[in-house]
Amino acid sequence: MTVAHVVLSVLLVAIFVPLGVAKILRQPSLISRTERLGFSVRQIQGIGALEVAGAAGLVAGLFWRPLGAAAAIGLVALLIGAAISHLRAGDGIKEVVPSIWLGVVSAAAAVLALA
């Protein structure tokens, strides 16, 4: 396990746990921003659960790399969906870039977990 792998995993966990929990608990500001993309509250909670599960998989991946790689790949898929959703909603680059950036970081974590 490399230092880079640990750092990227911890960074992603620190980002996705609060975001996922906020979606699960239906934080009003987050729900209103996501509903505008065409998702129901129930779907937003499901996305939040996937984010928390991905973060948990990254933590477990520090002990068993294949699980960390699978979790990171799952987050990449989730973030591709987020970027597509923002583009379909007519959002500008400012709203799309975070999904792309996090997708690239997640992909790097997957590669490092498999290396």
Side-chain angles (χ1 to χ4, degrees):
M1 179 176 322
T2 66
V3 172
H5 174 245
V6 173
V7 169
L8 290 182
S9 294
V10 170
L11 172 70
L12 290 167
V13 168
I15 291 169
F16 281 108
V17 167
L19 283 175
V21 169
K23 288 174 184 157
I24 291 168
L25 297 178
R26 296 180 281 179
Q27 181 183 17
S29 64
L30 205 74
I31 294 295
S32 65
R33 285 188 312 208
T34 312
E35 277 182 323
R36 157 188 96 58
L37 298 175
F39 294 104
S40 69
V41 173
R42 193 66 122 168
Q43 289 171 321
I44 295 166
Q45 287 180 302
I47 292 168
L50 291 173
E51 290 172 347
V52 171
L58 290 172
V59 171
L62 297 175
F63 303 98
W64 189 47
R65 285 179 152 198
L67 183 57
I73 291 167
L75 288 172
V76 169
L78 189 67
L79 291 160
I80 289 170
I84 291 169
S85 295
H86 282 288
L87 290 171
R88 284 186 179 165
D91 288 343
I93 194 76
K94 182 179 175 185
E95 290 83 13
V96 177
V97 164
S99 298
I100 295 170
W101 179 81
L102 286 171
V104 169
V105 173
S106 297
V111 168
L112 290 171
L114 294 171

